[in-house]
Structure formats: C-alpha cells, structure tokens
Amino acid sequence: MANSTEVEHHDAANRRQIVHVRALSAASVDAVWPLLADVTTWPDWSSFGAAAYSRDGDPPPHGVGAQRAFRVGIFRSIDTVLLFEPPTRLSYDYRGPLPIEDYRADVELIATDTGSVIVWQSEFVTSFPMLGGLMRLLLRKVLRDLATGLARAAEQAPLTPSRSGLHVDLAEEAVPAEQPELITNYDRPHGGPGNEQ
C-alpha cells in the first residue's frame, strides 16, 4: 500500500521554495514508469480533469520538449518536459495561474527489494514573498496526491490502453500568463535542471 513523507525547504532571501515528497509502491519501476511517462494516463490516477499533448517530444510523444496541457476545473496550465530518462527520471516546468516562477519538478523512480520509491520534488520562486508558505502547502498536497496516486495505480490492474495520440490545440485551451523508510536517508537534491505539479 502506498504511503508518503514530505520535506520542505525555503530561502527567505530569494523566495526559492523546495517541496520534496516520497511515496512507496509495491509495484516495480517498470510498472510505474509507463504511467508517469504518458501524461494522458494522469487523469486516471490524479485530480487532473484532462491532460493531453499539444506538442510531441523526443522521443515522441513523451520525451524532451513535449508540451503537455492540463485542466483542473476551470483552471488550465501547460508544461514542457525538460528531462526524459526511461525508466527512472522525468522533469518538467510549469506555466499557469499559480503565482510562482522558475518552476521545475523532478521525478525519480528508485527500485527497492519490495517495489519502488517515487521521489517527486518541485522547486520554484514565489511571485510575492508573503505567499511562500501558502504555495509550499499547496504544492506539498499536489505532489503528495500525485505520488501516492501513481504508486497505487501502478499496483493495480493495468489501466485502459494509452491515449498517447491525444493532442490538443493550445489556441483553443487558453492558459493564463506566466506569473506556477529508506525514506529518511534519501535527502539529496536532484542534480541538473530542477520542478507539480
């Protein structure tokens, strides 16, 4: 059964925030990765109402440069895949209605003797200093729900066939202007470029 822990950091001087979540799954890395990599499965195991590709990446459609469009209620956002290393690492940015900037999320899958650990970290700068705590709370919940939802989905029977051909036209999907236990000894920040959604 999936469970998670969270870690938060913030630098008051430059408003940079870090939210770090880990979830355990009984599923193997090879079972978790296809659900993480294919964003069209995300509405099946997360709170997103819709998710689709607006531009294919390399390799298509999930890889680096892929642009992905999301909807939650009346809110819409887009992100771009920054790092794609099957079957263990995925990174992406964010553009949407949240008052955050320079956002990067890094997801890493780590194999264990009993399944896998999903490490989901986001790093961002708040548009206004006083919003740091609120944004950390919000992003901690978002990442926790994503990580535990993914862990549980991978443990269950296979989902319906991938809808990886699903694309949207961003001209029709208006996006607000940019403003968005093994456990305790895995605290290193991700290397390379670094933040969920």
Side-chain angles (χ1 to χ4, degrees), residues 29-72:
V29 165
D30 287 338
V32 176
W33 175 258
L35 301 179
L36 173 64
D38 184 357
V39 79
T40 65
T41 71
W42 287 31
D44 294 322
W45 48 265
S46 75
S47 60
F48 288 111
Y53 291 94
S54 58
R55 182 180 69 202
D56 284 351
D58 182 21
H62 316 307
V64 173
Q67 195 169 72
R68 313 182 304 178
F70 298 87
R71 178 175 56 77
V72 180

Side-chain angles (χ1 to χ4, degrees), residues 3 44 67 77 79 135 140 146 159 164 173 182 184 186:
N3 58 72
D44 294 322
Q67 195 169 72
S77 63
D79 71 27
M135 289 299 100
R140 181 178 64 188
L146 285 170
L159 298 175
S164 58
E173 294 287 325
L182 149 122
T184 53
Y186 190 82

